[in-house]
Amino acid sequence: MTEIQLTNVQFAQLQLDNLVAKDKPYIESWSAGDVGSFNAILNAVDYDNEFTYNMRGWSRQRVKSGTGAMIEVNEMNADQLYHLFTCYLSKLPGGVLVKNMDPSEV
C-alpha cells in the first residue's frame, strides 16, 4: 500500500474508534489531510445515497480549497459514517487492518 492509502486506512480506523467511544453529539476537527482522506474514502466505496452525495460535494469543495473542516457527529449521521468507514475497510486485502500500523510492516 502507498503511504497515502495507509493514511486513509488509519483515518478510517480512528473515526470508527471515535464513533464507538465518544458520546454523541461531538465535533470532529479535521485537517486538510484528514478531509483528503475522507474524500478518498467516499470515492472508494460503492455506497451511494443522499448522505454520501452531499458529503462528496462538501469534501471535494474543501479539498479544492485546501482547508480542514469541522463536522458534528450526531445521532442523525453517526450510523451513515459508521457504515461508510466499515464499507471502506471491508474492501481492503486481509491483514491490512492492524491497529497503529507501521508503514514498514505493510
Side-chain angles (χ1 to χ4, degrees), residues 1 9 41 44-47 83-94 96-97:
M1 295 188 93
V9 170
I41 290 166
V45 297
D46 185 23
Y47 175 52
H83 187 72
L84 172 72
F85 293 124
T86 56
C87 282
Y88 173 73
L89 294 173
S90 71
K91 305 252 182 211
L92 299 173
V96 172
L97 300 180

Side-chain angles (χ1 to χ4, degrees), residues 55-97:
M55 294 309 288
R56 280 185 181 106
W58 174 85
S59 64
R60 204 174 9 237
Q61 181 182 40
R62 280 155 184 78
V63 167
K64 284 182 183 177
S65 65
T67 62
M70 293 176 72
I71 181 171
E72 179 182 353
V73 178
N74 55 45
E75 295 300 329
M76 294 178 61
N77 64 9
D79 286 343
Q80 300 274 2
L81 288 165
Y82 186 87
H83 187 72
L84 172 72
F85 293 124
T86 56
C87 282
Y88 173 73
L89 294 173
S90 71
K91 305 252 182 211
L92 299 173
V96 172
L97 300 180

Side-chain angles (χ1 to χ4, degrees), residues 6-33:
L6 194 55
T7 300
N8 296 347
V9 170
Q10 291 169 332
F11 175 78
Q13 289 177 326
L14 174 64
Q15 296 312 307
L16 283 173
D17 289 347
N18 289 344
L19 282 162
V20 172
K22 291 184 177 183
D23 292 330
K24 291 154 203 63
Y26 65 91
I27 303 292
E28 281 290 339
S29 181
W30 293 342
S31 68

